[in-house]
Amino acid sequence: MPIEPEQKNWTWVVDAACPECGFDGSTVAFREVPRILAENSAAWPAELAREDVRTRPDDRTWSPLEYGAHVRDVHRRMTERLGLLLTEDDPAFPDWDQDATAVADRYDQQDPAVVAAELVAAGERAASAFAAVPETALGRTGRRSDGSVFTVATLATYFAHDPVHHLWDVRRASRDAAV
């Protein structure tokens, strides 16, 4: 069963705490982002080795496998966007429909071990790319088609929230099922 597409605009997480996962973008320094990404990536293989990795906790929530594949692709997409920010003046980011990608790429049918390895590798590439950004580039801007403008620094914070939130989603679903 397809999941209802995400409609929220999460850009506010750059300046505020997420009431769900607790990530507080207002307190995250740019230089902390590579560590956040690396630590988060390292936690995913255990989640993707779970026996229930393909099980959706309810009709509105992805399985751990689907979340893992999404996080892998978010790492890839945000690393691409960082590259655009660093090489082009005020680039327009290509649109990405995460829900269409999940269906087209059959996230639910992928091999969890492959997804885990790819997620870790993509997370490490993203962490390295953000760690290599010079201070002088932090204010460079780019934009989404919805008009949201990001600097390198705000993109990093916005990006860091996504894998943190999804790891929380997966672990919350597991805790809820145990209750």
Side-chain angles (χ1 to χ4, degrees):
M1 177 182 302
I3 301 290
E4 187 173 316
E6 175 70 65
Q7 299 297 321
K8 291 181 184 177
N9 179 341
W10 289 91
T11 55
W12 57 267
V13 300
V14 170
D15 297 313
C18 178
E20 295 175 14
C21 72
F23 180 92
D24 188 350
S26 71
T27 67
V28 174
F30 176 79
R31 295 295 170 203
E32 292 177 274
V33 169
R35 176 191 53 77
I36 292 168
L37 296 175
E39 288 175 1
N40 180 275
S41 294
W44 277 95
E47 300 302 328
L48 293 169
R50 293 170 29 177
E51 286 186 31
D52 68 343
V53 71
R54 294 182 187 279
T55 304
R56 288 182 172 175
D58 57 54
D59 291 342
R60 299 171 319 281
T61 308
W62 277 345
S63 69
L65 175 58
E66 290 166 305
Y67 273 121
H70 168 71
V71 168
R72 173 203 58 207
D73 289 353
V74 168
H75 285 310
R76 291 171 174 169
R77 182 70 48 169
M78 292 302 176
T79 303
E80 291 169 5
R81 289 182 178 182
L82 175 62
L84 291 173
L85 283 169
L86 296 175
T87 60
E88 297 181 17
D89 290 331
D90 195 35
F93 302 136
D95 285 335
W96 180 48
D97 185 330
Q98 64 187 19
D99 299 297
T101 300
V103 172
D105 290 355
R106 300 296 312 256
Y107 282 178
D108 62 326
Q109 297 299 311
Q110 293 186 20
D111 181 328
V114 171
V115 171
E118 290 174 347
L119 185 157
V120 169
E124 289 172 354
R125 278 191 300 280
S128 293
F130 278 89
V133 173
E135 293 295 320
T136 56
L138 297 183
R140 293 184 59 86
T141 60
R143 59 200 145 66
R144 291 192 317 203
S145 63
D146 69 358
S148 297
V149 175
F150 292 91
T151 64
V152 170
T154 60
L155 181 72
T157 303
Y158 173 77
F159 168 30
H161 171 257
D162 197 83
V164 168
H165 192 97
H166 292 319
L167 186 60
W168 175 84
D169 283 327
V170 167
R171 289 176 172 168
R172 179 201 62 205
S174 179
R175 281 190 308 273
D176 291 352
V179 174

